[in-house]
Amino acid sequence: MEFILESILNLLGFVVGLVLGIFAYIGFKNTGSPTLFRLNISFFAISIGFGVVGFGFLIESFVFGFTKVDPWIQTLGLGIQTIGYFFIAFSHGIKSFFPKSRFLKTIAVPLFIIPGNSIEHIIRSISFILLVYGTIETILSYMENRKRSTIFVAAGLGLLALGEFLGWYSIVFPKSILYFISVSTKIVGLGALFVPISQVPLRRPGFGSSV
Amino acid sequence: MAVAYRTHVSIIGDILSTARDEAPDESGASVTYLIRKANVSYARLSKILDTLVSQGLLEQTNSDRACKYKISNRGREFLQAYRGFREFADSFGLRI
């Protein structure tokens, strides 16, 4: 039962990420903006990451009849999600560090210190760092523009970071409810990223990226 | 003082906004007017104007021996979409 619930939550994450990705893609097609292109890659990667875990669990269980799910599916899904978090952090990095001095970049690089002793630990810690960075940058942006939707995005990224942290901690207590809480927190975080969409009219005039 | 960096898309947005909201008369805005209002160099503006006219976002009109530019319906739609997605990117603390 718990296994099915986890699969459903992961599939929910897949759908939420997919909708956000499609929205960012429409924005990129309409405006040709590289920022929206990066957000598009980011949300598609997050969606695929959730999908790999959700579909992977279901296929292994119901198609192949495995009683125990392979841990590499979880690792693969988290790895793909991390690519998505990287692109969000990367967009902030471009905004904040370019064309500023290299000195700041040399300070930022050592922050990516990787703890842990397994691939899943490493991936989760990278995701956590990228998400915390994205959250901090978004909060700083909120202090500049004072838009309510920005604080929702910051909360969403913060919840995704908390979800990653709880997911990492669930390795310490593998049979606990922590993993379920982790995925739920991440879904709520992704849901908070929906708030900015509600403010944009969903029309598609259809301009090429050549503009 | 730090100067805000403008992306290519935001410069296009500024040019279209100027052509729509601040054109001095119905025949459109002249190149000189656009340079001053959109704060772009002549060389860069010329290239962007060629692209915008070829994409159908701006219409070129000839008035009093001067070349002027008016925003088209397609340009208005683009500007509306641009503003919407700029809000979306702003919410992430990013620039479109």
Side-chain angles (χ1 to χ4, degrees):
Chain A
M1 183 63 192
E2 187 184 320
F3 160 75
I4 291 173
L5 203 58
E6 283 171 8
S7 296
I8 289 169
L9 283 172
N10 276 299
L11 293 178
L12 192 63
F14 166 74
V15 173
V16 172
L18 191 66
V19 173
L20 284 165
I22 290 169
F23 184 79
Y25 178 73
I26 292 170
F28 166 65
K29 288 297 285 180
N30 284 347
T31 63
S33 162
T35 302
L36 291 172
F37 180 65
R38 283 190 291 272
L39 283 179
N40 161 41
I41 294 174
S42 166
F43 290 126
F44 276 144
I46 292 169
S47 171
I48 292 167
F50 273 107
V52 164
V53 179
F55 287 116
F57 280 9
L58 287 178
I59 289 169
E60 281 215 323
S61 175
F62 293 115
V63 179
F64 297 113
F66 291 175
T67 51
K68 193 179 174 187
V69 178
D70 283 332
W72 65 264
I73 290 180
Q74 174 93 338
T75 307
L76 179 67
L78 287 172
I80 298 170
Q81 283 178 45
T82 304
I83 295 170
Y85 303 143
F86 167 77
F87 274 99
I88 291 177
F90 179 54
S91 296
H92 280 293
I94 286 176
K95 186 195 75 176
S96 300
F97 290 121
F98 295 100
K100 291 179 183 170
S101 75
R102 288 181 181 178
F103 177 71
L104 287 174
K105 278 183 268 181
T106 57
I107 291 174
V109 170
L111 293 175
F112 290 80
I113 295 167
I114 301 164
N117 52 6
S118 74
I119 297 172
E120 191 172 330
H121 275 84
I122 292 167
I123 290 171
R124 282 197 186 277
S125 63
I126 293 171
S127 292
F128 177 73
I129 291 168
L130 291 172
L131 285 165
V132 167
Y133 173 63
T135 307
I136 292 168
E137 285 284 355
T138 311
I139 290 169
L140 289 174
S141 297
Y142 169 74
M143 291 164 87
E144 285 173 13
N145 65 28
R146 294 282 168 190
K147 282 187 179 173
R148 191 181 293 178
S149 56
T150 307
I151 205 71
F152 276 101
V153 171
L157 293 175
L159 285 169
L160 282 168
L162 180 65
E164 285 298 337
F165 179 77
L166 291 173
W168 168 77
Y169 210 64
S170 71
I171 294 167
V172 183
F173 303 105
K175 297 289 179 187
S176 70
I177 199 171
L178 273 175
Y179 180 75
F180 172 75
I181 296 172
S182 157
V183 180
S184 304
T185 309
K186 284 167 76 174
I187 303 295
V188 175
L190 268 182
L193 302 185
F194 259 104
V195 173
I197 292 183
S198 64
Q199 299 173 344
V200 181
L202 282 173
R203 287 153 36 86
R204 196 186 181 291
F207 303 103
S209 57
S210 55
V211 175
Chain B
M1 195 177 87
V3 179
Y5 172 75
R6 284 194 302 169
T7 60
H8 184 69
V9 183
S10 65
I11 290 171
I12 288 173
D14 287 346
I15 291 169
L16 290 175
S17 296
T18 306
R20 190 186 72 172
D21 304 329
E22 298 178 47
D25 56 63
E26 285 192 1
S27 61
S30 67
V31 172
T32 314
Y33 189 82
L34 287 172
I35 288 172
R36 198 171 65 242
K37 290 287 181 180
N39 195 21
V40 195
S41 71
Y42 176 77
R44 187 159 193 190
L45 182 71
S46 297
K47 283 181 192 169
I48 294 173
L49 287 178
D50 287 345
T51 309
L52 294 181
V53 170
S54 68
Q55 291 283 325
L57 303 183
L58 280 180
E59 290 168 1
Q60 201 169 356
T61 59
N62 290 312
S63 170
D64 298 335
R65 291 169 295 160
C67 201
K68 291 192 171 183
Y69 295 90
K70 270 171 64 174
I71 191 167
S72 65
N73 286 335
R74 199 171 149 84
R76 287 175 197 277
E77 285 179 10
F78 175 87
L79 199 55
Q80 196 179 352
Y82 161 74
R83 287 183 171 171
F85 286 106
R86 186 182 62 187
E87 289 285 313
F88 176 69
D90 276 352
S91 301
F92 282 83
L94 299 170
R95 289 191 210 101
I96 196 171

